[in-house]
């Protein structure tokens, strides 16, 4: 039986005292109380280190404390003095550790020593670095490079990422899936087609001059809390903030800056001026409704000779496809729009009026858009909305996909990509005198398919927790154990490390906040934030253990043990002095990284040039493109007994890292096995608060996917939608259920059926409800 979560209504604003309490709690828990707080003063400053949590922009003029509750938690979690030593592994077999929770595993502290799995004892045993590199190199050389995956989670620096992809390509693979394949790959597919860049066009300064902000599917309070500061400033200037989210997310309603004593007393600022609880997956329909209203208002203006509503000059000069899109919108039926969006026409009218009244509009979005079957269409629909009034490439306006990991965007910029057309292969060939593979590699979903089929034989992981982050957990874990080689470069112990292949290594690395001492002195690294600005970062803390190597040093060690010597690549020289890696990055991408070493510590970061910001469109037709969606409307689902499950993050987690089992803003304490439900649906299904249910995926493919003992929590969520936590619910997501075009798992719209759990005391063992963990 699972422990029951405590459920309360959380009425306080985001930020404020609750935030300070949560930080204080984690600092004590991680035993870094005093030093931990001092170190926080260096967070996100140009003389300090870049936060390891989210990727939100870092201002040129930082606040005295440029960190948030969750950034502080991430720091404390990384610089903890608790360690996982060879003695720990000597005490615990993997079979035992596999029964521990995600929280328990990471809570043990930092990995300290390279370890190799020993099947006879079912334990990890210590190994020397050189021996580890030698065996991994020899094994890689026995494997076909096409059968080897080199995964990255978005935290590693630009320097480490560049070296990693170069190593992989010289070895002979293009298989570089990234956490981005589960995240904003939808953006990276949608935006190049319509505006010619794979990233957002908004920079921090645009928030200072915008006069309207739209938000689709992002839980800013928890996942990019520092973003609440510019939003609060905008709200205080009277800028309307229009939010679309099936759940009422606390910080998007009201926020108190915990660093501002006056606000702490006054109770904070209302953030969203309009909040629309759109149906899960209903954003595209809602935006079509808004666009229809804008276009029809413009039609009326033409008739009556009044000023035009759309930006005619911009549309004529810069775009293509407007007439088809306008015709499509005019032809849409309101009944269908209301059904598919879950919103009344009056709501879309109010949003359209706000949109039309503003000269410069920013549209932000997160996983509520990208992790849907029609995510790519929806992201393009957001672009349609912006293009109508020239809201791209204008001060105070633009599109703002809010990225996840702190350097996930940058990794793609320096060549971590399975899509070879995105990588300057000719340049790499010229610089390093080798022939890189020209075939396209595997995405995350493709890699999972390859693992299930037994075609993937080796898996090297630069960070992350692959097995916990991907869908289809019940099939993935057994298949993973058939790998020939699993190499995990990591800071903390997680589930992926506990499912060994035939040969398995766990290689511990320095964290970003630690001092990285190399032959030429202490090294700095760099990363790119969500607004395409590059920042330098210097470790501040003495490393937690003496045997740790930096990520660049581990990559160089693996490369040297695997590849034939190549006089054009000085792995050792790079490790001795990372500025030489930055020179190499600049040589590879001269336009993007001009004067990289000289500029990396510019306050606020240096902005990479972005064509769309200057209204230059690097699309095939040289224009910004309106697009007509092929299938924007989710099918009707009112009476077939199926619920739409979205999986999301709680306040107490960073992805699969679970700091605490709480979700403060949603009123949950001490448990993550919950399902949020509309009270009217609960009544129809004869459920009351605290009952437990089993969710069973409605997939029709013969695979049984279910999760039991989920505690029902009544919540403000649209009818027929339910919500649960990632990664616990990943067992319910079929691998083939992903966004069309980007293959991002559609983790926000899983069709499920719901069954009331029968209390164990009245159950015979034979009819126990099907369950999985
Ligand atoms: N503290 C902390 N910070 C993080 C992370 C973390 O786990 N913890 N993770 C990092 C990473 S990698 C990422 S990608 C980001 C993720 O940040 P988010 O994009 O906020 O991701 P989720 O928590 O999955 O929440 C998605 C939001 O979308 C809403 N939503 C779900 N379905 C729909 C829909 O159909 N339409 C709309 N409009 N909304 C919908 C949900 O209610 C929720 O508010 O955060 C990053 N920052
Ligand atoms: N159902 C569902 N599934 C999802 C999502 C969802 O919303 N719903 N979200 C998806 C998204 S947006 C993402 S980005 C992925 C995340 O997938 P991943 O990026 O693979 O997962 P993380 O949980 O971020 O990885 C945590 C681990 O990284 C390691 N680590 C931490 N810091 C460092 C470091 O500095 N160096 C190294 N080498 N290792 C480090 C630690 O060992 C830690 O255990 O999950 C995806 N999966
Ligand atoms: Mo992400």
């Amino acid at each position: 039986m699972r422990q029951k979560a405590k459920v309360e209504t959380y009425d306080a604003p985001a930020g404020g005292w609750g935030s300070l309490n949560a930080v204080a709690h984690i600092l004590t828990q991680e035993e870094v109380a005093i030093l931990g707080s001092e170190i926080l003063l260096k967070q996100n400053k140009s003389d300090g280190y870049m936060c390891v949590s989210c990727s939100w922009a870092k201002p040129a003029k930082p606040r005295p404390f440029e960190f948030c509750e969750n950034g502080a938690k991430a720091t404390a979690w990384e610089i903890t003095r608790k360690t996982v030593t060879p003695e720990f592994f000597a005490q615990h077999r993997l079979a035992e550790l596999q029964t521990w929770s995600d929280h328990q595993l990471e809570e043990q502290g930092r990995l300290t020593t390279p370890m190799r799995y020993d099947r006879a004892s079912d334990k990890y045993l210590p190994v020397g670095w050189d021996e580890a590199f030698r065996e991994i190199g020899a094994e890689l050389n026995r494997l076909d490079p096409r059968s080897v995956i080199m995964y990255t989670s978005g935290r590693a620096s630009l320097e480490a990422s560049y070296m990693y992809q170069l190593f992989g390509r010289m070895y002979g693979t293009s298989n570089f899936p990234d956490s981005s394949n589960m995240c904003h790959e939808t953006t990276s597919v949608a935006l190049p087609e319509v505006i010619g860049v794979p990233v957002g066009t908004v920079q921090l300064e645009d928030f200072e001059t915008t006069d309207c902000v739209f938000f689709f599917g992002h839980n800013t309070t928890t996942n990019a809390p520092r973003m609440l500061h510019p939003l609060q400033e905008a709200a205080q200037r009277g800028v309307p903030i229009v939010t679309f989210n099936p759940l009422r997310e606390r910080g998007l309603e009201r926020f108190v800056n915990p660093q501002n004593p006056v606000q702490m007393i006054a109770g904070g600022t209302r953030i969203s001026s309009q909040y629309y609880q759109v149906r899960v997956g209903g954003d595209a329909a809602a935006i079509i409704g808004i666009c229809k209203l804008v276009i029809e208002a413009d039609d009326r203006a033409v008739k009556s000779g009044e000023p035009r509503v759309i930006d005619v000059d911009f549309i004529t000069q810069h775009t293509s496809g407007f007439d088809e899109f306008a015709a499509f919108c005019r032809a849409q039926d309101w009944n269908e729009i209301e059904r598919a969006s879950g919103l009344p026409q009056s709501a879309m009218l109010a949003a359209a009026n706000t949109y039309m009244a503003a000269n410069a509009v920013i549209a932000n979005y997160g996983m509520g858009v990208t992790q849907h079957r029609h995510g790519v269409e929806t992201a393009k629909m957001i672009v349609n909305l912006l293009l109508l009034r020239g809201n791209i490439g204008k001060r105070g306006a633009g599109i703002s996909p809010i990225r996840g990991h702190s350097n996930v965007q940058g990794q793609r910029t320096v060549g971590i990509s399975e899509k070879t057309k995105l990588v300057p292969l000719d340049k790499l060939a010229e610089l390093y005198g080798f022939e890189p593979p020209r075939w396209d590699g595997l995405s995350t979903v493709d890699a999972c398919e390859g693992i299930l089929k037994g075609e993937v034989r080796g898996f090297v992981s630069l960070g992350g927790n692959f097995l916990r982050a991907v869908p289809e957990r019940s099939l993935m874990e057994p298949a993973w154990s058939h790998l020939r080689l699993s190499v995990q470069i990591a800071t903390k112990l997680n589930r992926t490390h506990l499912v060994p292949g035939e040969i398995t290594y766990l290689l511990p690395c320095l964290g970003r906040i630690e001092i990285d001492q190399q032959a030429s002195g202490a090294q700095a690294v760099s990363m790119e934030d969500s607004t395409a600005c590059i920042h330098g970062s210097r470790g501040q803390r003495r490393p937690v253990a003496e045997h740790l190597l930096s990520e660049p040093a581990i990559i160089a060690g693996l490369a040297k043990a695997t590849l034939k010597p190549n006089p054009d690549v000085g792995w050792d020289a790079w490790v001795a002095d990372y500025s030489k890696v930055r020179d190499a990055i600049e040589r590879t991408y001269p336009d993007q990284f001009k004067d990289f070493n000289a500029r990396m510590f510019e306050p606020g970061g240096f902005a990479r040039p972005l064509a769309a910001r200057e209204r230059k469109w690097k699309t095939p037709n040289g224009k910004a493109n309106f697009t007509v969606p092929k299938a924007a409307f989710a099918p009707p689902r009112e009476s077939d007994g199926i619920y739409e499950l979205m999986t999301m993050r709680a306040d107490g987690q960073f992805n699969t890292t679970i700091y605490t089992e709480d979700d403060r803003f949603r009123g949950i304490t001490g448990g993550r096995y919950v399902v949020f439900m509309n009270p009217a649906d609960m009544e129809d299904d004869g459920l009351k608060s605290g009952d437990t249910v089993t969710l069973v995926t409605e997939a029709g493919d013969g695979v049984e996917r279910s999760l039991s003992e989920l505690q029902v929590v009544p919540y403000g969520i649209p009818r027929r939608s339910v919500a649960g936590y990632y990664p616990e619910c990943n067992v319910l997501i079929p691998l083939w259920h992903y966004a069309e075009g980007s293959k991002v798992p559609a983790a926000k719209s899983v069709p499920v059926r719901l069954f009331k759990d029968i209390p164990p005391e009245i159950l015979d063992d034979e009819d126990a409800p099907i369950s999985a963990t």
Side-chain angles (χ1 to χ4, degrees), residues 53-54 70 183 216-220 222-224 244-247 249 278-283 366-368 371-372 403-405 646-649 653-655 666 748:
S53 191
C54 83
N70 280 339
C183 186
F216 299 94
H218 188 262
N219 181 12
T220 315
T222 289
N223 297 328
F244 292 81
N245 198 311
L247 295 184
E249 298 288 26
V278 65
R279 181 181 152 184
V280 172
D283 301 79
M367 296 299 102
Q371 294 177 335
H372 275 296
R403 298 274 166 170
H405 272 292
M646 63 146 117
T647 61
M648 59 190 183
R649 293 154 171 80
Q653 78 184 90
F654 188 92
N655 296 345
R666 300 194 185 108
K748 299 291 185 269

Short mmCIF file of all heavy atoms in Angstrom, two decimals, residues 53-54 70 183 216-220 222-224 244-247 249 278-283 366-368 371-372 403-405 646-649 653-655 666 748, ligand 1:
data_model
loop_
_atom_site.label_atom_id
_atom_site.label_comp_id
_atom_site.label_asym_id
_atom_site.label_seq_id
_atom_site.Cartn_x
_atom_site.Cartn_y
_atom_site.Cartn_z
N SER A 53 19.27 24.58 -12.73
CA SER A 53 17.87 24.21 -12.87
C SER A 53 17.36 24.64 -14.24
O SER A 53 17.77 24.09 -15.24
CB SER A 53 17.08 24.82 -11.72
OG SER A 53 15.79 24.31 -11.65
N CYS A 54 16.54 25.66 -14.33
CA CYS A 54 15.88 25.93 -15.61
C CYS A 54 16.74 26.79 -16.52
O CYS A 54 17.83 27.22 -16.17
CB CYS A 54 14.52 26.57 -15.39
SG CYS A 54 14.54 28.34 -15.12
N ASN A 70 13.29 27.14 -6.55
CA ASN A 70 13.69 25.88 -7.16
C ASN A 70 15.14 25.88 -7.62
O ASN A 70 15.80 24.84 -7.63
CB ASN A 70 12.73 25.50 -8.30
CG ASN A 70 11.47 24.89 -7.72
OD1 ASN A 70 11.48 24.41 -6.59
ND2 ASN A 70 10.39 24.93 -8.45
N CYS A 183 10.92 17.02 -25.38
CA CYS A 183 10.67 18.32 -24.77
C CYS A 183 10.31 19.34 -25.86
O CYS A 183 9.20 19.33 -26.37
CB CYS A 183 11.94 18.66 -24.01
SG CYS A 183 11.92 20.11 -23.02
N PHE A 216 0.73 29.80 -23.07
CA PHE A 216 0.07 28.52 -23.37
C PHE A 216 0.84 27.38 -22.72
O PHE A 216 2.02 27.16 -23.04
CB PHE A 216 0.04 28.28 -24.88
CG PHE A 216 -0.72 29.31 -25.66
CD1 PHE A 216 -0.05 30.40 -26.22
CD2 PHE A 216 -2.09 29.21 -25.81
CE1 PHE A 216 -0.74 31.36 -26.94
CE2 PHE A 216 -2.79 30.18 -26.53
CZ PHE A 216 -2.11 31.26 -27.10
N GLY A 217 0.20 26.66 -21.80
CA GLY A 217 0.75 25.38 -21.34
C GLY A 217 2.13 25.47 -20.69
O GLY A 217 3.02 24.71 -21.05
N HIS A 218 2.30 26.37 -19.75
CA HIS A 218 3.55 26.38 -18.99
C HIS A 218 3.24 26.68 -17.53
O HIS A 218 2.47 27.58 -17.23
CB HIS A 218 4.52 27.44 -19.53
CG HIS A 218 5.88 27.34 -18.90
ND1 HIS A 218 6.27 28.15 -17.86
CD2 HIS A 218 6.91 26.50 -19.14
CE1 HIS A 218 7.51 27.81 -17.50
NE2 HIS A 218 7.92 26.81 -18.26
N ASN A 219 3.87 25.92 -16.64
CA ASN A 219 3.68 26.14 -15.22
C ASN A 219 4.87 26.94 -14.68
O ASN A 219 5.81 26.39 -14.10
CB ASN A 219 3.56 24.78 -14.51
CG ASN A 219 3.34 24.94 -13.03
OD1 ASN A 219 3.07 26.04 -12.54
ND2 ASN A 219 3.48 23.85 -12.30
N THR A 220 4.81 28.22 -14.90
CA THR A 220 5.93 29.11 -14.63
C THR A 220 6.35 29.11 -13.16
O THR A 220 7.54 29.14 -12.84
CB THR A 220 5.56 30.54 -15.07
OG1 THR A 220 4.95 30.43 -16.36
CG2 THR A 220 6.76 31.45 -15.16
N THR A 222 6.57 26.89 -10.97
CA THR A 222 7.43 25.79 -10.57
C THR A 222 8.62 25.65 -11.51
O THR A 222 9.73 25.39 -11.07
CB THR A 222 6.59 24.49 -10.61
OG1 THR A 222 5.66 24.53 -9.55
CG2 THR A 222 7.45 23.26 -10.47
N ASN A 223 8.40 25.87 -12.78
CA ASN A 223 9.39 25.43 -13.76
C ASN A 223 10.29 26.52 -14.34
O ASN A 223 11.31 26.20 -14.95
CB ASN A 223 8.69 24.66 -14.89
CG ASN A 223 8.03 23.40 -14.34
OD1 ASN A 223 8.55 22.81 -13.38
ND2 ASN A 223 6.94 23.01 -14.89
N ALA A 224 9.93 27.77 -14.14
CA ALA A 224 10.83 28.87 -14.52
C ALA A 224 10.51 30.06 -13.62
O ALA A 224 10.16 31.14 -14.10
CB ALA A 224 10.69 29.24 -15.98
N PHE A 244 -3.65 30.41 -20.96
CA PHE A 244 -4.44 29.23 -21.33
C PHE A 244 -3.83 28.03 -20.64
O PHE A 244 -2.68 27.67 -20.92
CB PHE A 244 -4.41 29.03 -22.85
CG PHE A 244 -5.14 30.11 -23.59
CD1 PHE A 244 -4.53 31.32 -23.84
CD2 PHE A 244 -6.46 29.92 -23.98
CE1 PHE A 244 -5.22 32.33 -24.49
CE2 PHE A 244 -7.15 30.92 -24.64
CZ PHE A 244 -6.52 32.14 -24.89
N ASN A 245 -4.57 27.44 -19.74
CA ASN A 245 -4.07 26.26 -19.04
C ASN A 245 -5.26 25.52 -18.45
O ASN A 245 -6.12 26.14 -17.83
CB ASN A 245 -3.10 26.69 -17.92
CG ASN A 245 -2.23 25.54 -17.44
OD1 ASN A 245 -2.73 24.46 -17.15
ND2 ASN A 245 -0.93 25.78 -17.38
N PRO A 246 -5.32 24.21 -18.64
CA PRO A 246 -6.45 23.45 -18.08
C PRO A 246 -6.50 23.54 -16.56
O PRO A 246 -7.57 23.44 -15.97
CB PRO A 246 -6.18 22.01 -18.51
CG PRO A 246 -5.13 22.07 -19.55
CD PRO A 246 -4.38 23.35 -19.37
N LEU A 247 -5.33 23.70 -15.94
CA LEU A 247 -5.29 23.81 -14.48
C LEU A 247 -5.12 25.27 -14.10
O LEU A 247 -4.46 26.02 -14.81
CB LEU A 247 -4.09 23.05 -13.91
CG LEU A 247 -4.05 21.55 -14.07
CD1 LEU A 247 -2.82 21.00 -13.35
CD2 LEU A 247 -5.29 20.91 -13.50
N GLU A 249 -2.96 27.42 -12.39
CA GLU A 249 -1.62 27.34 -11.82
C GLU A 249 -1.38 28.59 -10.97
O GLU A 249 -1.53 29.72 -11.44
CB GLU A 249 -0.56 27.20 -12.91
CG GLU A 249 -0.68 25.93 -13.76
CD GLU A 249 -0.29 24.64 -13.05
OE1 GLU A 249 -0.38 24.58 -11.81
OE2 GLU A 249 0.08 23.67 -13.75
N VAL A 278 -8.58 26.01 -20.76
CA VAL A 278 -8.76 25.35 -22.04
C VAL A 278 -8.79 23.84 -21.82
O VAL A 278 -8.23 23.33 -20.85
CB VAL A 278 -7.59 25.76 -22.97
CG1 VAL A 278 -6.27 25.26 -22.43
CG2 VAL A 278 -7.78 25.33 -24.40
N ARG A 279 -9.45 23.14 -22.71
CA ARG A 279 -9.45 21.67 -22.65
C ARG A 279 -8.03 21.17 -22.96
O ARG A 279 -7.30 21.79 -23.73
CB ARG A 279 -10.42 21.19 -23.72
CG ARG A 279 -10.55 19.72 -23.78
CD ARG A 279 -11.50 19.34 -24.89
NE ARG A 279 -11.10 18.02 -25.31
CZ ARG A 279 -11.64 17.37 -26.31
NH1 ARG A 279 -12.61 17.91 -27.00
NH2 ARG A 279 -11.22 16.16 -26.62
N VAL A 280 -7.65 20.06 -22.36
CA VAL A 280 -6.33 19.48 -22.66
C VAL A 280 -6.26 19.21 -24.16
O VAL A 280 -7.15 18.58 -24.73
CB VAL A 280 -6.12 18.18 -21.86
CG1 VAL A 280 -4.86 17.46 -22.32
CG2 VAL A 280 -6.05 18.47 -20.38
N GLY A 281 -5.23 19.74 -24.79
CA GLY A 281 -5.10 19.57 -26.25
C GLY A 281 -5.97 20.53 -27.05
O GLY A 281 -6.05 20.42 -28.27
N GLY A 282 -6.59 21.48 -26.37
CA GLY A 282 -7.55 22.36 -27.05
C GLY A 282 -6.99 23.70 -27.51
O GLY A 282 -7.73 24.55 -28.02
N ASP A 283 -5.68 23.92 -27.34
CA ASP A 283 -5.11 25.24 -27.64
C ASP A 283 -5.24 25.64 -29.10
O ASP A 283 -5.55 26.79 -29.41
CB ASP A 283 -3.63 25.29 -27.23
CG ASP A 283 -3.46 25.00 -25.76
OD1 ASP A 283 -3.50 23.82 -25.39
OD2 ASP A 283 -3.31 25.96 -24.99
N GLY A 366 4.97 26.14 -23.23
CA GLY A 366 5.78 25.06 -22.66
C GLY A 366 5.26 23.70 -23.08
O GLY A 366 4.69 23.54 -24.17
N MET A 367 5.43 22.75 -22.18
CA MET A 367 5.13 21.35 -22.50
C MET A 367 3.64 21.11 -22.75
O MET A 367 3.28 20.11 -23.36
CB MET A 367 5.60 20.44 -21.35
CG MET A 367 7.10 20.43 -21.11
SD MET A 367 8.07 19.87 -22.51
CE MET A 367 8.67 21.41 -23.17
N GLY A 368 2.78 22.01 -22.26
CA GLY A 368 1.34 21.87 -22.53
C GLY A 368 1.04 22.01 -24.02
O GLY A 368 -0.04 21.63 -24.47
N GLN A 371 4.00 18.60 -25.96
CA GLN A 371 3.84 17.16 -25.70
C GLN A 371 2.42 16.69 -26.03
O GLN A 371 1.73 16.09 -25.20
CB GLN A 371 4.16 16.85 -24.23
CG GLN A 371 5.64 17.09 -23.90
CD GLN A 371 5.97 16.86 -22.45
OE1 GLN A 371 5.10 16.96 -21.58
NE2 GLN A 371 7.23 16.56 -22.16
N HIS A 372 1.98 17.01 -27.24
CA HIS A 372 0.67 16.56 -27.72
C HIS A 372 0.83 15.99 -29.11
O HIS A 372 1.73 16.40 -29.85
CB HIS A 372 -0.30 17.75 -27.81
CG HIS A 372 -0.99 18.06 -26.53
ND1 HIS A 372 -1.86 17.19 -25.92
CD2 HIS A 372 -0.95 19.17 -25.75
CE1 HIS A 372 -2.32 17.74 -24.81
NE2 HIS A 372 -1.78 18.94 -24.67
N ARG A 403 12.31 26.91 -22.70
CA ARG A 403 13.06 25.64 -22.74
C ARG A 403 13.16 25.04 -21.35
O ARG A 403 12.95 25.73 -20.35
CB ARG A 403 14.46 25.87 -23.30
CG ARG A 403 14.47 26.38 -24.71
CD ARG A 403 14.41 25.28 -25.75
NE ARG A 403 14.09 25.86 -27.04
CZ ARG A 403 14.13 25.20 -28.20
NH1 ARG A 403 14.46 23.94 -28.24
NH2 ARG A 403 13.81 25.80 -29.32
N GLY A 404 13.62 23.81 -21.30
CA GLY A 404 13.67 23.10 -20.02
C GLY A 404 15.02 23.19 -19.35
O GLY A 404 15.33 24.15 -18.65
N HIS A 405 15.88 22.20 -19.60
CA HIS A 405 17.20 22.13 -18.98
C HIS A 405 18.02 23.38 -19.30
O HIS A 405 17.89 23.98 -20.36
CB HIS A 405 17.96 20.93 -19.56
CG HIS A 405 17.72 19.65 -18.85
ND1 HIS A 405 18.16 19.42 -17.57
CD2 HIS A 405 17.11 18.50 -19.24
CE1 HIS A 405 17.84 18.19 -17.22
NE2 HIS A 405 17.19 17.61 -18.21
N MET A 646 -3.01 14.01 -18.53
CA MET A 646 -1.75 14.76 -18.73
C MET A 646 -0.82 14.45 -17.58
O MET A 646 -1.24 14.31 -16.44
CB MET A 646 -2.01 16.26 -18.83
CG MET A 646 -2.58 16.86 -17.59
SD MET A 646 -2.00 18.52 -17.33
CE MET A 646 -3.54 19.39 -17.43
N THR A 647 0.46 14.31 -17.90
CA THR A 647 1.45 14.06 -16.86
C THR A 647 2.31 15.31 -16.73
O THR A 647 2.68 15.91 -17.73
CB THR A 647 2.34 12.88 -17.24
OG1 THR A 647 3.03 13.19 -18.46
CG2 THR A 647 1.54 11.61 -17.43
N MET A 648 2.59 15.71 -15.51
CA MET A 648 3.26 17.00 -15.32
C MET A 648 4.17 16.95 -14.10
O MET A 648 4.25 15.95 -13.40
CB MET A 648 2.19 18.07 -15.13
CG MET A 648 1.32 17.75 -13.93
SD MET A 648 -0.10 18.79 -13.80
CE MET A 648 -0.75 18.15 -12.25
N ARG A 649 4.83 18.09 -13.86
CA ARG A 649 5.79 18.20 -12.77
C ARG A 649 5.15 18.76 -11.50
O ARG A 649 4.28 19.64 -11.59
CB ARG A 649 6.92 19.14 -13.18
CG ARG A 649 7.75 18.57 -14.29
CD ARG A 649 8.41 19.67 -15.10
NE ARG A 649 9.36 19.08 -16.03
CZ ARG A 649 9.03 18.51 -17.18
NH1 ARG A 649 7.78 18.46 -17.58
NH2 ARG A 649 9.96 17.97 -17.95
N GLN A 653 10.13 18.75 -7.54
CA GLN A 653 10.96 17.89 -8.40
C GLN A 653 11.68 18.70 -9.45
O GLN A 653 11.26 19.81 -9.78
CB GLN A 653 10.09 16.83 -9.10
CG GLN A 653 9.29 17.32 -10.31
CD GLN A 653 8.37 16.26 -10.91
OE1 GLN A 653 7.21 16.14 -10.50
NE2 GLN A 653 8.86 15.50 -11.88
N PHE A 654 12.81 18.17 -9.96
CA PHE A 654 13.34 18.62 -11.24
C PHE A 654 13.37 17.39 -12.13
O PHE A 654 14.24 16.52 -11.99
CB PHE A 654 14.73 19.25 -11.13
CG PHE A 654 15.16 19.86 -12.44
CD1 PHE A 654 14.90 21.18 -12.72
CD2 PHE A 654 15.76 19.09 -13.42
CE1 PHE A 654 15.24 21.75 -13.95
CE2 PHE A 654 16.10 19.64 -14.66
CZ PHE A 654 15.84 20.97 -14.92
N ASN A 655 12.44 17.30 -13.03
CA ASN A 655 12.30 16.11 -13.88
C ASN A 655 12.27 14.85 -13.02
O ASN A 655 11.46 14.76 -12.10
CB ASN A 655 13.39 16.06 -14.95
CG ASN A 655 13.28 17.23 -15.92
OD1 ASN A 655 12.25 17.89 -15.95
ND2 ASN A 655 14.31 17.47 -16.68
N ARG A 666 -0.17 23.04 -5.44
CA ARG A 666 -1.41 22.30 -5.72
C ARG A 666 -1.91 21.65 -4.43
O ARG A 666 -2.82 20.82 -4.46
CB ARG A 666 -1.19 21.28 -6.83
CG ARG A 666 -0.73 21.93 -8.15
CD ARG A 666 -0.84 20.99 -9.34
NE ARG A 666 -0.29 21.58 -10.57
CZ ARG A 666 0.86 21.20 -11.15
NH1 ARG A 666 1.57 20.23 -10.62
NH2 ARG A 666 1.27 21.78 -12.25
N LYS A 748 1.08 14.69 -22.58
CA LYS A 748 -0.01 15.51 -22.04
C LYS A 748 -1.37 15.04 -22.53
O LYS A 748 -2.37 15.71 -22.25
CB LYS A 748 0.20 16.99 -22.44
CG LYS A 748 1.49 17.61 -21.91
CD LYS A 748 1.48 17.81 -20.40
CE LYS A 748 2.70 18.53 -19.90
NZ LYS A 748 3.81 17.62 -19.52
N1 LIG B 1 11.66 23.22 -10.72
C1 LIG B 1 11.65 22.66 -11.92
N2 LIG B 1 11.98 23.40 -12.99
C2 LIG B 1 11.98 22.82 -14.22
C3 LIG B 1 11.72 21.43 -14.40
C4 LIG B 1 11.33 20.69 -13.25
O1 LIG B 1 10.99 19.51 -13.33
N3 LIG B 1 11.32 21.33 -12.03
N4 LIG B 1 11.85 20.85 -15.62
C5 LIG B 1 12.54 21.61 -16.67
C6 LIG B 1 12.21 21.08 -17.98
S1 LIG B 1 13.23 19.90 -18.67
C7 LIG B 1 11.18 21.58 -18.70
S2 LIG B 1 10.87 21.01 -20.26
C8 LIG B 1 10.34 22.67 -18.21
C9 LIG B 1 8.88 22.19 -18.16
O2 LIG B 1 8.01 23.17 -17.73
P1 LIG B 1 6.44 23.09 -18.17
O3 LIG B 1 6.35 23.33 -19.62
O4 LIG B 1 5.69 23.98 -17.26
O5 LIG B 1 6.09 21.52 -17.92
P2 LIG B 1 5.02 20.69 -17.06
O6 LIG B 1 5.20 20.72 -15.61
O7 LIG B 1 5.04 19.36 -17.66
O8 LIG B 1 3.70 21.47 -17.20
C10 LIG B 1 3.02 21.75 -18.29
C11 LIG B 1 1.91 22.75 -18.01
O9 LIG B 1 1.08 22.60 -19.12
C12 LIG B 1 -0.26 22.50 -18.71
N5 LIG B 1 -0.96 21.75 -19.75
C13 LIG B 1 -1.07 20.41 -19.90
N6 LIG B 1 -1.77 20.13 -21.02
C14 LIG B 1 -2.10 21.32 -21.58
C15 LIG B 1 -2.81 21.70 -22.76
O10 LIG B 1 -3.28 20.90 -23.53
N7 LIG B 1 -2.92 23.02 -23.01
C16 LIG B 1 -2.39 23.97 -22.18
N8 LIG B 1 -2.56 25.26 -22.53
N9 LIG B 1 -1.75 23.64 -21.06
C17 LIG B 1 -1.59 22.34 -20.77
C18 LIG B 1 -0.21 21.87 -17.35
O11 LIG B 1 -1.37 22.18 -16.60
C19 LIG B 1 1.05 22.52 -16.77
O12 LIG B 1 0.74 23.77 -16.21
O13 LIG B 1 10.70 23.08 -16.91
C20 LIG B 1 12.10 23.07 -16.62
N10 LIG B 1 12.25 23.61 -15.29
#
